[in-house]
Amino acid sequence: SEAEPLLRVTALESGYGKIRVLHGIDLHIAAGEVVTLLGPNGAGKSTLLRAISGLLPVNAASVRFDGRDISNGTPREAARAGLVHVIEGHRVFTQQTVTENLLLAAYDLPRGERHARVDEALSFFPEIAQKRHERGASLSGGQQQMLVVAQGLVRRPRLLMLDEPSAGLSPVLVDRVLTVIAQLQKQGTAVLLVEQLVEKALAAANRVYALSQGRIVLEATTSEANLPQRLERAYFGHE
Ligand code: ATP
């Protein structure tokens, strides 16, 4: 088929056991596109990322990535295909060095490539690169969060899904995350960003979806003039 998007989610349903959280989600992301997923607490944003990456079961044929059906695959399979999910609140190994943490994320890459991938990932985070031989425990909480993102970058993703990367970060590190997203886009990497900092997320993204009570209630380009009004209506359930 012509111009199939990098990620296509179709009529996706998912949840926890018998609790259905997501209802008929349709969403797509083109190669190199930055898309932000907004919505109130409990709307289902994290659940949607988990469903896409294979952490939660989904209905058949609902997730296609890079031209293949990846519905109900494992997160590891998704990562191998180029879809990397940086999970909210994921922890680094505090007794391992920065480099060792990154090598662990690169364990299944060809041996000769691992160190180059680690250097490449660290090039996005100068503050952490300086501490590459120090233990995870010696990094600030924010730097540990950046290291988790770097662990995702080691895999050289074609789509990086970030779940509230700015949560608990200092303003400097929030800006670092946004800079990294812009750099990734420049090199052709697509990003799906869940973020509470709505204005920053919109500034970073080409397109936005709003989720409310497990349904997509808005899709727009971020350049749209009346987007703030549309978002407000969507949040309050009138759109
Ligand atoms: P937040 O911004 O607060 O993280 P969110 O939009 O990411 O919100 P989710 O965390 O995806 O929302 O939660 C969506 C719904 O799924 C909520 O009703 C929540 O209570 C429920 N839920 C989330 N995690 C679980 C779980 N592990 N087991 C059962 N229900 C869950």
Side-chain angles (χ1 to χ4, degrees):
S1 66
E2 64 173 75
E4 180 171 4
L6 182 61
L7 175 74
R8 182 180 288 289
V9 172
T10 310
L12 179 142
E13 311 271 331
S14 189
Y16 303 90
K18 286 183 179 163
I19 307 167
R20 181 71 54 86
V21 171
L22 300 174
H23 311 277
I25 301 289
D26 292 320
L27 167 152
H28 60 92
I29 299 177
E33 192 177 32
V34 176
V35 173
T36 186
L37 177 64
L38 304 177
N41 288 335
K45 304 181 297 294
S46 298
T47 302
L48 179 52
L49 297 198
R50 290 179 197 131
I52 292 170
S53 67
L55 285 164
L56 289 174
V58 297
N59 49 321
S62 52
V63 185
R64 285 182 70 80
F65 181 75
D66 198 17
R68 287 198 301 129
D69 179 12
I70 63 160
S71 315
N72 295 311
T74 66
R76 185 172 298 181
E77 287 164 357
R80 289 211 177 110
L83 193 171
V84 169
H85 180 190
V86 178
I87 296 158
E88 185 186 13
H90 184 82
R91 298 272 172 272
V92 303
F93 293 102
T94 52
Q95 297 310 308
Q96 313 287 325
T97 67
V98 165
T99 299
E100 285 164 351
N101 267 280
L102 293 169
L103 285 170
L104 283 169
Y107 75 99
D108 62 341
L109 298 176
R111 213 164 223 304
E113 251 186 71
R114 288 180 207 159
H115 280 92
R117 292 294 191 95
V118 167
D119 289 344
E120 186 179 299
L122 281 174
S123 71
F124 289 92
F125 300 102
E127 300 89 345
I128 305 176
Q130 285 177 353
K131 297 188 164 189
R132 64 171 71 215
H133 301 305
E134 296 181 31
R135 287 183 179 192
S138 75
L139 304 184
S140 71
Q143 288 171 340
Q144 290 185 22
Q145 250 170 277
M146 295 301 90
L147 180 53
V148 173
V149 176
Q151 285 180 313
L153 294 182
V154 158
R155 309 210 59 94
R156 210 180 265 172
R158 300 189 60 208
L159 171 60
L160 183 68
M161 301 199 298
L162 296 171
D163 197 348
E164 299 196 16
S166 78
L169 292 188
S170 66
V172 171
L173 282 184
V174 170
D175 287 343
R176 168 70 57 205
V177 173
L178 297 171
T179 303
V180 168
I181 290 172
Q183 287 173 316
L184 288 171
Q185 179 165 41
K186 220 171 263 168
Q187 68 182 44
T189 307
V191 177
L192 178 54
L193 173 67
V194 170
E195 188 46 75
Q196 295 290 349
L197 301 174
V198 172
E199 312 234 316
K200 299 235 181 213
L202 291 175
N206 306 113
R207 228 154 32 80
V208 53
Y209 290 95
L211 198 60
S212 176
Q213 297 180 35
R215 294 173 204 280
I216 299 285
V217 291
L218 173 148
E219 180 200 350
T221 59
T222 52
S223 57
E224 206 171 288
N226 63 346
L227 182 58
Q229 295 87 333
R230 285 189 64 197
L231 268 174
E232 195 165 327
R233 280 202 301 276
Y235 269 46
F236 291 107
H238 300 312
E239 174 134 335

